[in-house]
Amino acid sequence: MKKLIILLLGIVMLNACELDMQPESELTFNGFWESEEAVKAAHTGIMASYRNYAYTFFQMGELRSDIWGGNTIESPNGIDLIENNISASIVHFSNWANLYGLLHYVNDFIKNAPDVPFKNEAELNHLIGQVYGIRAQIYYTMVRAWGDVPITTEPLLDVDLQKLKKPRAPKSEVMQQIKSDIAKSLEYFGSDNSLWLGRNVFWSKAATLALKGDVYLWSGKVLGGGNADFTEAKTALEAVTGFELVSYDKLWGQGNEGNKEFIFAFDYQQDQAGGFYYLFTGRAVDIWTMFNDEGTSMSGFVINGASRYGPSDKVLLLIDDLNDARRNTFIRLYSDGAVHIPYVASEASYKGSVLNKFLGIVDADGSRKDYNNVPLYRYADVVLMLAEAKNNLSEDPSDEINAVRQRAYGENYGAPYIYTNGSQTANAQAILDERLKEFIGEGKRWWDLVRAGGTFVFDEVASLDASEAYKIYYSISQSMLANDSELEQTEGY
């Protein structure tokens, strides 16, 4: 009873202070950290909780960019983010997107798991390496989203209200913590390049190396680390092994989830957890009355989602090349039976699009099941980040750009599509364009534009002006400020 009272008191006090940590877990109170089985169970729990944030990662990484904001058949979602409508009163992802709740369990694992005896120490090291990598990725998301954020690396051991209050640490300190966690992750992985249980739905050394490349590119460009950071990024990305670019017909869909390109993916399974990409599809009652851009009726097309996000004209025009497999990222929907190739912006008959990447499968009972695994990192990301690192170091990135293009154009790849090394600015634009085509719907574009530096984000995103540069980082809520005297509002709001 005493333990229960402490836990309940802690929850009340934590709700008051807005930092969404929870007191030391019931598992720890009950002597949970005593066996190998317990550590593996805790790891499974962390992975399940981590998956719950996949939609948040997508929203943060893509909605503010230039990809969405086009026609939807139903009322659209995320308009304030798409329009970069952010202020002290219009606050997105309040309470730090509840990421500190996840961090509590991660911190609990990192604190306690190393002391548990394992029959095979390599297994324990792999699990710890995974969780350090996940913590680094969580903090990396936060530093990109808010800039300065509180740092906590210990599970909550008591319910002292004053200890729950934490000031926002400077971006440089948060980045130092991220880099430290990446180093610890790689230390625990050592030479072990294996996938846990042979599956890409668990974190791995390759995932940490991909994250390291991503982090050091950001640190080098956005935080001024320069060539030293770009070199670290290049070295990490070149060290990713065991993965390759896979032809698109072997890349997407539930039957292809074990492909050699996905480095880490969030795992969705029927009767366990479903994804969020149904929001990018539509309802049969609406779609069956329409036609695709070849003039073919959509009647009978099996669908069971919602049309809440529509691609922008800019994106549809950019990928409107019949020789590029990425044109099939969308099924374009029209109200007439005419042919609409090439795509023409602002046609009255164009009604919306269905995202083709994560459509799922049609089951034996005739219904569509959308339990696609969603990648956080895949090898194309590594290749194009390597191009970015090389370009930042004044090296030639054309091999990497062309590797991705060759996969996209297949037998049509040739002189018109072969990229030739240009100026740093021209290369940076080419890399951004290639990444835009490649990662639609995967939560990359906003981060890519900010990481590119210069004026790229303002040049590409019509809803954001250079005079509003402070909006790169989110505001925090008035309730957070009122309940924690240690916090200050994000600069500029």
Side-chain angles (χ1 to χ4, degrees):
M1 177 60 72
K2 180 179 180 182
K3 292 174 185 174
L4 179 59
I5 292 172
I6 291 174
L7 285 168
L8 292 174
L9 176 61
I11 290 169
V12 170
M13 299 177 79
L14 284 158
N15 286 339
C17 78
E18 291 281 332
L19 187 61
D20 65 327
M21 297 168 58
Q22 296 180 12
E24 188 178 21
S25 69
E26 292 181 75
L27 299 180
T28 299
F29 271 116
N30 293 326
F32 176 81
W33 297 102
E34 293 178 352
S35 70
E36 180 174 327
E37 292 72 21
V39 171
K40 291 178 178 178
H43 167 259
T44 299
I46 286 172
M47 297 308 302
S49 296
Y50 190 37
R51 177 178 57 197
N52 293 335
Y53 292 84
Y55 186 39
T56 297
F57 295 152
F58 161 77
Q59 290 175 297
M60 285 184 169
E62 190 161 314
L63 287 188
R64 298 182 61 190
S65 71
D66 46 355
I67 291 180
W68 305 103
N71 288 5
T72 59
I73 299 169
E74 300 170 75
S75 58
N77 282 1
I79 290 299
D80 277 338
L81 278 174
I82 291 169
E83 296 179 351
N84 279 284
N85 190 8
I86 305 168
S87 67
S89 58
I90 302 175
V91 177
H92 304 273
F93 311 108
S94 187
N95 199 19
W96 309 113
N98 297 316
L99 286 164
Y100 286 101
L102 175 58
L103 280 170
H104 164 70
Y105 294 106
V106 168
N107 292 339
D108 205 12
F109 188 99
I110 288 173
K111 179 181 178 64
N112 291 289
D115 296 327
V116 178
F118 261 59
K119 295 176 184 177
N120 182 352
E121 188 176 1
E123 288 192 351
L124 176 60
N125 288 340
H126 200 292
L127 293 173
I128 297 172
Q130 288 186 51
V131 178
Y132 267 112
I134 289 170
R135 187 167 75 178
Q137 193 276 330
I138 295 168
Y139 271 116
Y140 182 43
T141 299
M142 295 178 74
V143 78
R144 291 181 295 175
W146 290 282
D148 303 345
V149 295
I151 297 174
T152 178
T153 58
E154 291 285 335
L156 185 60
L157 301 177
D158 56 46
V159 291
D160 186 331
L161 183 58
Q162 294 306 311
K163 291 183 180 180
L164 295 176
K165 295 182 177 181
K166 283 183 174 287
R168 300 173 71 165
K171 293 184 286 290
S172 59
E173 290 184 17
V174 182
M175 184 56 69
Q176 184 178 4
Q177 177 62 49
I178 294 164
K179 291 178 177 179
S180 174
D181 279 348
I182 288 171
K184 291 295 289 185
S185 175
L186 293 174
E187 177 186 333
Y188 273 101
F189 280 124
S191 60
D192 188 351
N193 292 302
S194 68
L195 298 177
W196 184 253
L197 303 182
R199 302 187 64 207
N200 59 23
V201 298
F202 298 104
W203 200 267
S204 63
K205 181 180 179 180
T208 297
L209 288 169
L211 173 64
K212 182 176 181 179
D214 195 346
V215 164
Y216 277 83
L217 284 172
W218 185 278
S219 178
K221 183 66 79 169
V222 179
L223 301 183
N227 283 356
D229 280 351
F230 299 144
T231 300
E232 284 282 347
K234 178 184 174 185
T235 301
L237 295 165
E238 288 177 332
V240 176
T241 60
F243 297 88
E244 61 190 38
L245 297 176
V246 174
S247 62
Y248 283 113
D249 62 336
K250 298 291 190 294
L251 184 61
W252 304 115
Q254 288 166 239
N256 296 320
E257 291 174 343
N259 68 73
K260 296 291 289 183
E261 184 164 336
F262 284 14
I263 294 173
F264 171 75
F266 292 104
D267 185 29
Y268 294 102
Q269 297 182 32
Q270 189 171 354
D271 302 324
Q272 185 185 105
F276 52 89
Y277 283 96
Y278 67 92
L279 296 169
F280 299 76
T281 58
R283 301 178 302 176
V285 66
D286 297 317
I287 289 177
W288 285 5
T289 64
M290 298 184 187
F291 303 83
N292 66 18
D293 60 358
E294 295 178 335
T296 303
S297 172
M298 294 294 290
S299 178
F301 185 80
V302 179
I303 200 78
N304 61 343
S307 177
R308 303 295 189 182
Y309 294 101
S312 65
D313 281 340
K314 175 181 178 178
V315 163
L316 291 174
L317 289 168
L318 185 67
I319 64 172
D320 197 39
D321 185 339
L322 292 174
N323 291 330
D324 189 340
R326 294 169 298 192
R327 188 182 190 279
N328 296 324
T329 297
F330 294 106
I331 303 171
R332 299 150 185 81
L333 303 173
Y334 292 84
S335 58
D336 57 22
V339 174
H340 293 275
I341 300 173
Y343 177 81
V344 176
S346 302
E347 282 192 313
S349 57
Y350 171 71
K351 298 304 177 183
S353 290
V354 171
L355 182 64
N356 226 348
K357 280 185 175 179
F358 304 108
L359 263 183
I361 58 174
V362 178
D363 212 346
D365 64 2
S367 62
R368 187 174 292 278
K369 309 295 184 185
D370 54 346
Y371 296 97
N372 300 272
N373 290 353
V374 176
L376 180 67
Y377 284 114
R378 55 186 176 95
Y379 193 63
D381 200 359
V382 169
V383 172
L384 289 173
M385 285 194 293
L386 180 56
E388 190 174 335
K390 286 185 172 183
N391 188 50
N392 288 340
L393 291 166
S394 300
E395 299 175 14
D396 182 355
S398 58
D399 283 350
E400 287 73 27
I401 295 172
N402 285 324
V404 173
R405 287 190 176 187
Q406 186 171 8
R407 189 264 296 273
Y409 291 101
E411 63 183 17
N412 298 309
Y413 178 71
Y417 303 117
I418 296 173
Y419 185 75
T420 303
N421 186 36
S423 68
Q424 267 193 316
T425 301
N427 290 343
Q429 185 67 62
I431 293 166
L432 281 172
D433 288 348
E434 213 62 40
R435 288 184 64 85
L436 172 54
K437 296 175 188 178
E438 188 69 28
F439 299 115
I440 291 168
E442 296 180 57
K444 302 285 183 182
R445 177 63 171 175
W446 171 255
W447 302 137
D448 288 347
L449 289 170
V450 177
R451 191 180 65 227
T455 63
F456 282 111
V457 68
F458 307 112
D459 295 340
E460 299 288 346
V461 180
S463 62
L464 189 66
D465 188 79
S467 64
E468 300 174 309
Y470 66 91
K471 286 188 177 181
I472 294 294
Y473 298 112
Y474 290 110
S475 57
I476 63 174
S477 69
Q478 293 301 312
S479 63
M480 293 170 70
L481 294 168
N483 290 324
D484 190 342
S485 59
E486 295 288 328
L487 292 179
E488 295 183 359
Q489 181 59 275
T490 306
E491 185 177 354
Y493 291 97

